[in-house]
């Protein structure tokens, strides 16, 4: 299960690296959440290492956000996935089994969701699961009319919402944790419904963020 978790998270971060600043920003949100969880559990080493990576990502995003001047490539995204997989395990040991499992899933919910959707549609289409396509979440946002930067900001907001659920689930009682997980499931359901509707919309719709940017 640990090997499967590492391979899955590494590939999830790699797959979401489809727009300038997307993988770096989502990873920054995730690693910052894991740093907060490590501080809550008095895990000094994990908190310091998370802070180091978060600082590196902040500096990287100055040059990687649209229009990007540098790119992380597969090596960078796979490295980020490896670190996130390791730190999510090390910061999820306290609490009940349900919380220990739910917290890392919430922290990395966006890349995991994108990967599961990619595998599902490729299996349904009887195509190799490692084949490339233009149906990832960020591609659908672009087809819905969002600009490059607008799509990235929307996905940042989604990642932040799941990170908030993860932090709150560690801080509240178990009955409240169940309500938080229910809320996260509701957010996930709404996101899937929106993705389904955006897939059917034509290009050229107005970007609600009003941010200029190139479409991928």
């Amino acid at each position: 299960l640990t090997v499967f978790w590492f391979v899955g998270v590494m590939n999830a971060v790699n797959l979401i690296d489809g727009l300038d600043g997307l993988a770096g920003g989502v990873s920054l949100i995730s690693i910052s959440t894991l740093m907060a969880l490590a501080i809550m559990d008095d895990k000094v080493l994990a908190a310091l290492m998370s802070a180091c990576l978060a600082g590196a990502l902040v500096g990287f995003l100055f040059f990687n956000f649209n229009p990007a001047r540098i790119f992380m490539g597969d090596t960078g995204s796979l490295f980020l996935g490896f670190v996130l997989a390791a730190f999510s395990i090390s910061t999820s040991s306290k609490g009940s089994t349900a919380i220990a499992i739910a917290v890392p899933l919430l922290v990395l919910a966006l890349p995991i969701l994108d990967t599961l959707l990619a595998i599902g549609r490729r299996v349904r289409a009887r195509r190799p699961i490692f084949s490339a396509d233009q149906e990832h979440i960020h591609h659908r946002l672009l087809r819905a009319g969002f600009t490059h930067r607008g799509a990235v900001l929307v996905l940042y907001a989604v990642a932040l919402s799941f990170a908030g659920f993860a932090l709150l689930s560690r801080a509240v009682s178990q009955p409240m944790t169940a309500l938080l997980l229910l809320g996260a499931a509701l957010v996930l359901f709404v996101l899937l419904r929106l993705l389904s509707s955006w897939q059917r919309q034509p290009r050229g719709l107005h970007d609600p963020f009003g941010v200029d940017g190139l479409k991928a």
Side-chain angles (χ1 to χ4, degrees):
L1 288 175
T2 302
V3 172
F4 178 79
W5 173 253
F6 270 82
V7 173
V9 173
M10 289 169 67
N11 280 279
V13 176
N14 180 253
L15 286 175
I16 206 171
D17 185 24
L19 297 179
D20 296 345
L22 180 54
V26 171
S27 297
L28 175 60
I29 294 170
S30 299
I31 200 67
S32 299
T33 306
L34 294 175
M35 179 181 67
L37 292 171
I39 293 173
M40 292 168 65
D41 291 342
D42 295 324
K43 296 182 177 180
V44 179
L45 181 60
L48 287 174
M49 294 179 68
S50 299
C52 290
L53 182 57
L57 284 171
V58 169
F60 176 74
L61 282 173
F62 276 106
F63 303 96
N64 183 242
F65 198 73
N66 180 260
R69 286 170 283 173
I70 58 175
F71 305 90
M72 67 173 65
D74 289 342
T75 303
S77 60
L78 291 172
F79 168 74
L80 287 176
F82 179 85
V83 175
L84 288 171
F87 286 178
S88 62
I89 292 176
S90 68
T91 57
S92 64
S93 58
K94 287 193 175 183
S96 65
T97 303
I99 296 177
I101 295 174
V103 167
L105 290 176
L106 287 172
V107 171
L108 299 166
L110 181 59
I112 290 174
L113 172 64
D114 186 52
T115 301
L116 292 177
L117 290 175
I119 294 174
R121 65 174 173 267
R122 291 166 189 174
V123 170
R124 186 175 55 194
R126 298 182 179 179
R127 294 168 45 207
I129 63 173
F130 295 106
S131 61
D133 60 28
Q134 298 290 315
E135 295 295 329
H136 291 283
I137 294 175
H138 47 273
H139 293 136
R140 297 189 183 191
L141 288 173
L142 293 176
R143 283 202 298 272
F146 288 87
T147 64
H148 191 125
R149 293 186 180 185
V152 171
L153 291 174
V154 167
L155 294 177
Y156 282 0
V158 173
L160 281 170
S161 66
F162 283 114
F165 282 123
L167 289 173
L168 288 174
S169 67
R170 180 65 66 85
V172 300
S173 61
Q174 289 195 18
M176 286 299 298
T177 300
L179 292 177
L180 287 173
L181 294 177
L182 182 61
L186 180 61
V187 171
L188 186 60
F189 174 77
V190 172
L191 177 61
L192 291 174
R193 294 291 295 178
L194 288 175
L195 287 174
S196 178
S197 63
W198 285 335
Q199 187 178 16
R200 296 190 294 268
Q201 291 183 5
R203 291 177 178 267
L205 298 182
H206 175 66
D207 177 21
F209 287 92
V211 183
D212 294 330
L214 298 176
K215 288 187 178 181

